Each structure stands twice: as C-alpha cells, then as structure tokens.
Amino acid sequence: MVSVNGYSQSLDQYLEEAAENNPALQASFKGYQASLEKTNQVTLENPQLNIGVFTRPMELLMGNQRAEASVMQMFPWFGMLKTQKDEATLMAEAKYEEFRQQRNVLLYQVKETYFQLQQLQNSIEITESNLDILKSLEELAIIRYQGGNTSDAVSSVSAAVRRPTRSGQQNGGSDGMGMGGGSSSSSSGASSSGGSAMSSMGSGGGSGKLTDVLRLQVQIKALESDLQQLEVDKRPFLVRFNQLLGRDKNEPLEFETEISTQKNIGWEFTMLEQILETNPMLLMLEKEGLVYQKQGEMAKLEGKPMFGLGLNYMVFSPRPEMGAPGGMNGMDYMPAGMGNNMVMPMATVSLPIYRKKYKAMESESKLYWEANEKQKEDLQRTLETEFESILVSIKDATRKVTLLEEQIELTKQTMELSVTSYANEGSSFEEVLNIQRELLDFRLNLLNTKIEREIQFARVETLIGI
C-alpha cells in the first residue's frame, strides 16, 4: 500500500467517492430526478370558468338578468390518467437506467486510471529492483577487474535477483502519491562509489575487463533516466484520477500496489447471465419498449370521447310590473319578475369522429416498439460478442501470467548460474547482460499482463452494471 498520510484507501472507497462527487454524474442524476416529476404532472385538465356581465340587463320573464357564470370540468376516457402516469413512470425508469450506464462508465474510468497508476508504480519498483541487480553486477565486475575475492559479490547479485519487487514498501516519496522519489540519489551515490573504486584500480593485473564495468555504468545511467521519466509520466494520471473523483487535481492519493485477482470457478457463466439481466442499456431499451406500448394504449384512449360536467349560474334582479292587465293595449303588459337566481347543471361530450389522426398515432407507437425490439435483440448479441471477446482476453492473460511466472523463475536460476560462471571462470559477460535484460522484460510483461487482465475484469463489471 502506497500512502502519504499514514492511512490506506481502497479502490472501493474511491469508487464510492467518485459516484458521490463527480459533477457529470451528479448532473445525470438531477436529470433523472427531474423526470420523476413528470408523474406528478399527470392530472385532470384545469376546469374552465366563464363569467359574463350584461352592460344592459336582459329583461326576461323571471326578472332582469344581470350576469352569468359557468364552470366546466372535462374528464378523459376511463383509464387515460392511469396510462399517462404509467408512461411517465416508465420514462423515468428509462432515465434512471441511462444514469446507471453513465455511472458504470465513470466507475470503469476510475478503475482503469487506478490500474494504470498501479502499473506505473510497479514499473518503477521493477526498474529499481533491476537497478539493484546492475549495481551488484557492477560491484562484481569491479572486484574481478581488481582480482579480488568475488564470493561476497556473487552472493549480493544472487540476493538482488531473488529479492521481490518492493510493491508494498514505503519509499519516502515527495509527490502526492508517496511513490518512490529517492531512487535517483541512491543511484548517483552508487555511481560515485563505483567511480572511486575505478580510480583505485591499477592499469591491469586483474582477471576482469574494464569494459564490463563501463558497460554496466552505461546501463545504470539509462535505467536512472527511465526512472525519472516514469515519475514524470504519473502526473497526467494523477490529475485525471482526482478529476474523476471530483477532487482538486493536486490532492494526494493513496492506493495499493499489489495486484491480485481471485474469481470463482465458472464465474464466466454466471457473469454472462448477469449481463443479460442487469445491463443498464438493455434495461433502458426494455423500459422504452414498455413506454411505446403505453403510448399505443394512450392513442386508443384518445380516440374515445371526453366528458364534461359543469354548472351555469345566472344572476337576476327583480323587475317591476309594467302596463295594466286588460288595458286597451294589453300587449304592452309585463308582469313583475321576482329576480330569483338560477342554477343550471350542464354536460358536454367530445365527438372524435376524425379517426385518421388516432390510427396514425397507434401505428407510430407500434412501429417504434418494433424498432425497439430489434435494437434490444441487436444489443443482446453485441453484449454476448463483447463478453466472449473479453473472456478470451482474460483467459489469454491468465495463461501468460502462469507462463511468465515460470519464465521469471527459470531466468533467475539461469542468471545466478551465469553470474557464478562469470565470477569463477570469466565466461562471456554479454551473456549475463542478455539474461538480465530478459529478466527485466519478463517482469515488465508480467506486470502489463496482470494490469490488462484487471482492466478486462473491469469491463465485464461495467457490462453487468451496478
């Protein structure tokens, strides 16, 4: 575990932090919350209130009508509101699956960046381990050149070859991740000691070659340069990782350097079933298909009549009697109006006789549903194909890990034998250097293969969804 604050933080904690603080993911969740409000917008239409005031009273038999007011409430066909609410709910659920997909993509990006940081840190540690081997070989070459006893130097080389990489050790780093930053000083110290040892050498008389020492020092300088470059390469990944977590780009990080994956036998079968059951994009298409079905039901219901119920209230004022009954001009007589207000119940019904519109709406929803079914079928096949491709990559990586571990062990043995032969018999130093390069390549290949396998597992988890 690499840490600068004295505590550790696992990948799971980082994933939880990213899910809570990433701005883009928060925006997506707000969109889902907004879609939930659609269900609360499914209600009856607002009632209509009409008020009329006569500028001149209308003289009627029951009195003078001054004003009237009416209120009308329209009601859709039975089941329309429930269908509309179901459609809004399904659309919100589809929006949630879209949010889940964005969250899975984000978490995959966090995992990928985390593994890339692990890869860089372990590359640094492997390079430092190889640097120790080269320095031990340099010491051996110097002793052979001086004609001294090489037994201790051979043991030192053997110990450096067998020493595991320092994945879990704290290396007093000065950057935000606590990654080893002290390697350059130790390397330069070793180089200076090697230089002083060379200055004490005579012009000859030893059984080794000065060229062996010089070649080793060239390789040591090259590795020191590689270490410096690896430290520089970490910076973009540190910034990206912090941004994915919604942090300041310079905030320190802690992470595990050990890479280990444990899966139960037969995991590929259970995961494929999970993918087809819980993949967010697949579930989103399923919800959208149900939405189109509800829209088809709504089109049928919209083709049904709508009903309206209301009241009409008429305001009258008393009217005095006009004329005299039985008079000469009896036609001008009008009895007094009492001025009683009146209430009149009302009912209305719409007549959807133009059917072309509603048939087109039904056909539209049906075609969208059929297209959705084809999309879902295509996505299922794509997911199965992608999973099989990932599975091949994982199995290939697992096979390579086993092979590389065996090759590393055999190369270590070969290295020890070659160093012993070089120290005792003066055999080819070129062979020792070649084996040392092979050991470094095998270790780096093993690291890269393990990281690639972890990334492939992360891809599978992304297909499953969380």
Side-chain angles (χ1 to χ4, degrees), residues 161-172:
V161 170
R162 288 291 174 181
R163 188 179 304 127
T165 56
R166 292 163 293 191
S167 301
Q169 294 182 6
Q170 179 72 23
N171 289 328

Side-chain angles (χ1 to χ4, degrees), residues 279-342:
N279 180 264
M281 295 304 295
L282 206 56
L283 290 178
M284 186 182 74
L285 287 176
E286 183 177 334
K287 299 298 182 183
E288 288 180 350
L290 295 175
V291 168
Y292 294 135
Q293 291 181 12
K294 290 296 179 181
Q295 289 176 350
E297 295 177 17
M298 288 168 54
K300 291 180 180 179
L301 293 172
E302 286 185 11
K304 303 292 184 179
M306 291 184 66
F307 301 98
L309 297 176
L311 290 175
N312 190 24
Y313 183 75
M314 292 171 284
V315 180
F316 290 90
S317 61
R319 178 180 50 78
E321 182 179 20
M322 298 179 62
M328 294 180 61
N329 193 5
M331 296 295 294
D332 294 333
Y333 174 76
M334 182 174 291
M338 300 304 294
N340 294 329
N341 297 335
M342 296 183 62

Side-chain angles (χ1 to χ4, degrees), residues 182-233:
S183 58
S184 298
S185 60
S186 62
S187 301
S188 60
S191 298
S192 60
S193 63
S196 61
M198 284 182 58
S199 63
S200 65
M201 297 177 188
S203 59
S207 58
K209 297 180 181 179
L210 180 60
T211 55
D212 296 343
V213 179
L214 296 176
R215 290 176 64 185
L216 280 168
Q217 291 182 347
V218 168
Q219 291 201 25
I220 288 173
K221 292 293 184 182
L223 277 185
E224 290 173 349
S225 176
D226 291 343
L227 281 173
Q228 293 174 358
Q229 185 59 46
L230 287 170
E231 293 288 345
V232 172
D233 291 342

Side-chain angles (χ1 to χ4, degrees), residues 161-162 396-416 434-447 449:
V161 170
R162 288 291 174 181
D396 182 57
T398 302
R399 179 186 57 80
K400 286 183 178 179
V401 166
T402 303
L403 173 62
L404 287 167
E405 288 175 345
E406 294 174 352
Q407 289 177 321
I408 288 172
E409 185 60 32
L410 292 173
T411 305
K412 287 179 180 179
Q413 296 176 13
T414 306
M415 181 77 176
E416 292 174 355
N434 287 338
I435 297 172
Q436 174 267 326
R437 292 191 198 100
E438 286 181 357
L439 180 61
L440 174 61
D441 289 341
F442 286 148
R443 282 175 167 171
L444 291 176
N445 286 338
L446 177 62
L447 168 64
T449 304

Side-chain angles (χ1 to χ4, degrees), residues 52-67:
V53 179
F54 295 99
T55 56
R56 291 180 59 187
M58 180 180 293
E59 295 180 351
L60 298 175
L61 184 62
M62 65 286 299
N64 293 334
Q65 186 176 0
R66 299 284 182 176

Side-chain angles (χ1 to χ4, degrees), residues 58-124:
M58 180 180 293
E59 295 180 351
L60 298 175
L61 184 62
M62 65 286 299
N64 293 334
Q65 186 176 0
R66 299 284 182 176
E68 69 175 356
S70 65
V71 60
M72 178 67 69
Q73 175 66 64
M74 298 299 294
F75 297 92
W77 191 260
F78 306 103
M80 172 61 84
L81 291 180
K82 182 179 183 304
T83 305
Q84 289 177 337
K85 194 163 188 176
D86 290 344
E87 184 215 18
T89 302
L90 288 169
M91 290 181 69
E93 291 175 357
K95 193 72 176 177
Y96 177 73
E97 297 303 331
E98 182 181 351
F99 158 73
R100 283 186 61 222
Q101 175 64 17
Q102 293 187 19
R103 181 175 61 179
N104 289 333
V105 171
L106 169 67
L107 297 185
Y108 172 75
Q109 292 173 342
V110 172
K111 293 174 187 177
E112 184 182 36
T113 309
Y114 184 89
F115 295 142
Q116 288 168 339
L117 285 168
Q118 279 189 323
Q119 184 177 25
L120 278 171
Q121 178 60 28
N122 281 280
S123 295
I124 290 173

